[in-house]
Amino acid sequence: MFRNKERNKTIVKIILSLFLAMWLYYFIFFRDNPELVLEHMFSIPNESYLYIFLTILFGWIAYVIRGFRWLGLIKAIGHETTIIKSVAAVSFGYFVNLVLPRGGEIARCTSIYKTDKIPVDKLLGTILIERVIDMIILIFLIIIS
C-alpha cells in the first residue's frame, strides 16, 4: 500500500511538472501571435547560429564550473556528493531563481538534501562562503581595473 502511494505521488509530480512546463512554454512563446513568433524564429541569419551555440556552450560550462566549485565546498565540510548531482542542483537553483528570486539557493540546498541527506544548514553555509568569495574577487577586480 505504501509503495503504491509513493509511486502515485511521483506520477502526480511528473504530470504537474509537465503541465507547468507546457504552460510556461505557451506563455513565453505563443501568448501573443504564434505566427509572428515562428516567423521571427526562422528569420535568424545563419551567422547568428554560431553565436547562439557559443552562448549555450559557455552557459553550460559556467553551470559545470559552479557545480565543481560547490562540490569542493561540500567536500570541505566533510560530506560527499557527485558532480552530476551538484551541477543538477545548481541548474535547478537557477531555474527556481527565474520564478522566485533568491529562492534558488534554498532549492539548491534542499535538492542535495533530498539526494544525499547533507544538512541544509551546512549547505547554506557553503553558499554563504561562495558569495563571500565572489564578493572578494569582485572587489579585487574593481581595484585592479
Side-chain angles (χ1 to χ4, degrees):
M1 175 82 180
F2 180 73
R3 186 177 198 189
N4 207 12
K5 195 180 220 183
E6 287 296 317
R7 191 181 79 197
N8 290 342
K9 188 176 177 182
T10 303
I11 290 171
V12 168
K13 283 182 185 179
I14 291 171
I15 290 171
L16 287 175
S17 297
L18 287 173
F19 277 121
L20 176 66
M22 288 187 302
W23 179 79
L24 285 173
Y25 187 75
Y26 171 79
F27 183 76
I28 291 170
F29 292 109
F30 295 106
R31 183 180 54 166
D32 295 326
N33 185 353
E35 293 84 18
L36 184 63
V37 171
L38 289 173
E39 178 184 324
H40 199 16
M41 283 174 55
F42 290 114
S43 68
I44 298 173
N46 287 337
E47 302 83 31
S48 297
Y49 286 114
L50 174 64
Y51 296 117
I52 293 170
F53 172 75
L54 289 175
T55 301
I56 293 169
L57 177 68
F58 287 130
W60 179 77
I61 290 170
Y63 281 33
V64 171
I65 289 172
R66 191 155 183 209
F68 269 111
R69 187 172 72 170
W70 197 39
L71 185 65
L73 289 171
I74 291 172
K75 285 183 180 179
I77 61 171
H79 292 280
E80 291 289 324
T81 188
T82 64
I83 185 60
I84 292 176
K85 290 177 185 175
S86 178
V87 172
V90 167
S91 301
F92 179 62
Y94 278 127
F95 174 73
V96 171
N97 276 337
L98 292 174
V99 178
L100 183 67
R102 295 292 158 220
E105 283 78 9
I106 305 293
R108 182 165 41 144
C109 293
T110 54
S111 68
I112 290 292
Y113 172 75
K114 283 192 177 251
T115 59
D116 294 328
K117 301 298 184 224
I118 301 172
V120 174
D121 57 339
K122 290 186 177 186
L123 292 171
L124 283 172
T126 62
I127 290 177
L128 180 64
I129 291 170
E130 194 177 27
R131 295 285 183 226
V132 169
I133 292 169
D134 287 345
M135 186 61 70
I136 291 170
I137 291 172
L138 180 64
I139 291 170
F140 175 74
L141 290 174
I142 290 172
I143 289 173
I144 66 168
S145 64

